[in-house]
Amino acid sequence: MLSMPDLRFGTFSSVTPAARLWPGLLCAALLSPPAMAEVQPFPPGFRSQAIETDGATIHVRVGSNGPAVVMLHGFGDTGDMWAPLAAALVREHSTVVPDLRGMGLSSHPEGGYDKKTQAGDIARVLDRLKIEKVDLVTHDIGNMVGYAFAAQYRDRVIRWVAMDAPLPGIGPWDEIIRSPVLWHFNFRGPDVERLVKGRERIYLDRFWNELSANPKSIDEATRQHYARLYARPGAMHSAFNQFAAFQQDAIDNKAFVARGKLTMPVLAIGAEKSFGSAMADDLRFVATDVTGLVIPSSGHWLMEEKPGATVAAIRAFLDKK
């Protein structure tokens, strides 16, 4: 049984199941205003292109030089979150960084937000780029798309790094979704969109403040950057649809597991003040070769809070022969 974090003490516990998810989330307070910093750009030589898939146009950044790595973001971010990792890998890897369907600079179709369909988006992107096999690096909702991709295209994934989010329908999912911290999973609909419209920054601040170990680690430039992207027409509607698809995702994931666990090496990275070692426990329900790692002093936003330690952990795993 997956042992989830205890919100009351910031440690793992076998008691009070409904209260256990992502320690430190409820105690993170609004601290002093964060310092300004520049959002890191992608390295020179990266190109951006729009690739048509089945029902969507995917915005993708590509840096070509060696074995391919695909990086998938989650909610509150876009593919821009991966710039520090791309800079570390670009000399030795072909680096492919899409914005998921309905997010960032990708198109906003009305449907297709189940992760099985979005995995098909990634397959079509790779087909267009003439890339067959990849290493996979994912975070948050990107984990869900990543698992759907690895489960459907098992021969195309060499290794998988998954960071700090559970998979719908897997392990203690039914317990996880009852946590009051995760009210946003069911926060959607026309009136909700009216409430959030023009207040996207306020809504996103809730995630950056409450899901981080220290809200000041999410700097003002980062907040402004993503708030602008999520304020684009259709962006929040599409983001809410990502969560609305979780019920179908749970059905699909159970069907994937029934076909057998993944056999490629998996690195499960949890943040100390978030999912922690429970990340590896969760992935062992779907994969046979899982290595767990916890990044100290970080909340959910690993690439923003602890980019150095996170990049080093990912590089060490991908560099293994």
Side-chain angles (χ1 to χ4, degrees):
M1 180 64 179
L2 180 61
S3 176
M4 300 303 296
D6 189 331
L7 291 174
R8 298 169 301 164
F9 304 111
T11 58
F12 291 97
S13 171
S14 60
V15 299
T16 319
R20 286 176 279 149
L21 179 67
W22 296 343
L25 304 189
L26 296 181
C27 63
L30 293 173
L31 302 181
S32 56
M36 285 293 289
E38 182 181 353
V39 176
Q40 182 171 333
F42 277 75
F46 265 75
R47 69 182 189 275
S48 296
Q49 64 186 94
I51 296 179
E52 298 293 329
T53 65
D54 296 333
T57 303
I58 303 301
H59 175 78
V60 59
R61 309 150 190 82
V62 183
S64 299
N65 191 21
V69 180
V70 173
M71 306 174 190
L72 303 179
H73 67 91
F75 175 73
D77 283 306
T78 69
D80 292 339
M81 69 173 282
W82 297 116
L85 181 59
L89 297 180
V90 69
R91 291 184 181 179
E92 301 165 352
H93 296 273
S94 294
T95 309
V96 180
V97 188
D99 288 342
L100 296 178
R101 172 185 294 238
M103 304 177 88
L105 299 181
S106 291
S107 67
H108 300 278
E110 183 58 31
Y113 293 97
D114 63 281
K115 310 313 175 286
K116 183 177 179 180
T117 296
Q118 293 192 75
D121 290 338
I122 305 308
R124 301 293 82 75
V125 166
L126 295 176
D127 291 345
R128 175 72 176 273
L129 297 174
K130 302 186 185 310
I131 296 172
E132 180 59 30
K133 293 182 178 290
V134 299
D135 289 325
L136 196 58
V137 181
T138 65
H139 178 250
D140 192 77
I141 287 175
N143 289 355
M144 304 173 189
V145 179
Y147 175 59
F149 180 82
Q152 293 179 91
Y153 306 96
R154 298 180 186 226
D155 293 340
R156 301 189 74 166
V157 179
I158 303 168
R159 286 163 293 214
W160 178 24
V161 180
M163 305 200 309
D164 212 67
L167 300 175
I170 300 302
W173 173 255
D174 290 340
E175 176 185 339
I176 290 170
I177 61 176
R178 288 195 296 269
S179 170
V181 176
L182 300 179
W183 56 264
H184 58 276
F185 281 6
N186 292 303
F187 186 69
R188 58 181 177 272
D191 292 329
V192 165
E193 292 182 29
R194 290 171 58 213
L195 283 170
V196 174
K197 184 176 177 60
R199 304 176 181 88
E200 293 84 4
R201 168 63 187 270
I202 297 172
Y203 184 67
L204 291 168
D205 274 340
R206 178 262 163 176
F207 294 90
W208 297 323
N209 292 334
E210 294 188 12
L211 305 188
S212 61
N214 179 355
K216 289 191 291 185
S217 63
I218 316 297
D219 62 68
E220 181 62 20
T222 296
R223 292 169 185 250
Q224 290 183 10
H225 176 76
Y226 289 119
R228 284 193 295 269
L229 287 169
Y230 278 86
R232 291 166 60 89
M236 286 307 307
H237 177 70
S238 298
F240 292 139
N241 281 337
Q242 296 280 358
F243 297 111
F246 283 177
Q247 185 174 1
Q248 182 60 49
D249 298 335
I251 294 170
D252 292 337
N253 288 345
K254 290 174 181 178
F256 293 147
V257 173
R259 299 176 195 169
K261 292 185 177 183
L262 304 178
T263 58
M264 75 283 293
V266 176
L267 176 63
I269 299 179
E272 180 189 11
K273 305 299 183 182
S274 185
F275 220 164
S277 61
M279 187 67 220
D281 294 337
D282 200 35
L283 288 187
R284 290 188 179 105
F285 287 100
V286 303
T288 60
D289 184 3
V290 178
T291 300
L293 185 147
V294 176
I295 301 294
S297 303
S298 184
H300 177 64
W301 308 100
L302 287 153
M303 285 299 300
E304 288 83 10
E305 297 183 63
K306 295 293 179 181
T310 304
V311 168
I314 294 169
R315 287 197 66 181
F317 181 72
L318 297 184
D319 288 345
K320 288 181 180 178
K321 302 301 182 183

